[in-house]
Amino acid sequence: MTLKVEFQFDFGSPNAYLAEAAIPGIEQRTGVKFAYVPVLLGGIYKATGNMSPFESLRGIKNKPEYQALETQRFIRRHNITKFRQNPFFPVNTLMLMRGAVAAQFECMFEPYFRAAYHHMWEEPKKMDDLEIFRSAFISSGIEIDRLLARAQQDDVKKRLIDLTNDAVSRGAFGSPTFFVGKEMFFGKDQIRDVEDSIVEQSGKRFPGRPDAGRIPVESDELVGQQS
């Protein structure tokens, strides 16, 4: 049976953007393809009583500064060069995430996904403003009016709700969340454990990896910074 590996994301999470930058390397080393699963982070927060670090870290001495330091370490480790903080953060992502589901239905997901991340975290814009949203995607060559119309249809709305509820029922409380089979990992800092779990559960050796498929001694502790 093929191992199922999921990347559950919301475009509004900078940590999901950063974590996704490491996925192509993992896919190349292991031969396993990630399934990209859109979820609505606001819905997850509401269902779990969680909140973003933008809110939870407000007023805490030293912790936001340390989190920023860890982010810079991650960026250097994975040679991420295009990331920019979005000055309009936090952004309401309902349009973006419905658009992602519509793009999957319409077989337009890859270009839509790349354009959305570009305009959120590379050349950041206020992507919850409809006119800015439209102009941004048009500049990237996306048939955005077609996707906006599709995103208003009930099957798209229901699909996003169902994916979000399913994520919560399986243990998710934020983004990025990864599932390797039934094993869950949260946060960008767990990306190396995600790869180790793929190797462990696949039961294979991957010559392209530095450890050539070494099985980790422990891989079940769920630790990570909230995105």
Side-chain angles (χ1 to χ4, degrees), residues 15 18 53 57 62-76 83 85 188-189 225:
N15 285 335
L18 295 171
L57 297 181
N62 295 332
K63 189 173 182 180
E65 291 80 6
Y66 179 76
Q67 188 173 43
L69 175 63
E70 284 293 286
T71 295
Q72 289 305 310
R73 288 170 176 164
F74 187 94
I75 287 171
R76 288 195 301 271
F83 176 74
Q85 290 289 347
K188 70 180 185 301
D189 300 319
Q225 294 296 321

Side-chain angles (χ1 to χ4, degrees), residues 19-151:
E20 196 274 337
I23 289 177
I26 297 175
E27 290 182 330
Q28 183 177 25
R29 288 187 293 273
T30 66
V32 173
K33 297 295 291 183
F34 283 62
Y36 281 49
V37 181
V39 294
L40 188 62
L41 190 52
I44 290 177
Y45 284 163
K46 184 176 180 180
T48 61
N50 197 7
M51 63 181 70
S52 73
F54 182 80
E55 299 171 290
S56 64
L57 297 181
R58 185 182 290 129
I60 297 178
K61 184 177 177 60
N62 295 332
K63 189 173 182 180
E65 291 80 6
Y66 179 76
Q67 188 173 43
L69 175 63
E70 284 293 286
T71 295
Q72 289 305 310
R73 288 170 176 164
F74 187 94
I75 287 171
R76 288 195 301 271
R77 182 183 308 125
H78 295 281
N79 193 30
I80 299 168
T81 60
K82 296 181 179 180
F83 176 74
R84 303 291 182 269
Q85 290 289 347
N86 191 316
F88 305 102
F89 182 84
V91 172
N92 185 316
T93 59
L94 182 60
M95 275 195 302
L96 281 163
M97 300 318 298
R98 283 180 177 171
V101 174
Q104 288 184 332
F105 283 175
E106 297 298 306
C107 300
M108 298 167 59
F109 179 72
E110 178 64 21
Y112 177 90
F113 179 89
R114 294 298 160 200
Y117 262 163
H118 175 76
H119 295 294
M120 270 296 298
W121 301 111
E122 295 173 0
E123 292 184 8
K125 301 172 180 66
K126 186 172 171 51
M127 293 296 284
D128 51 5
D129 181 299
L130 178 58
E131 288 308 310
I132 293 173
F133 177 99
R134 286 186 69 254
S135 296
F137 279 107
I138 290 170
S139 73
S140 293
I142 305 298
E143 296 179 68
I144 194 58
D145 288 332
R146 170 185 167 189
L147 288 180
L148 281 172
R150 186 71 175 89

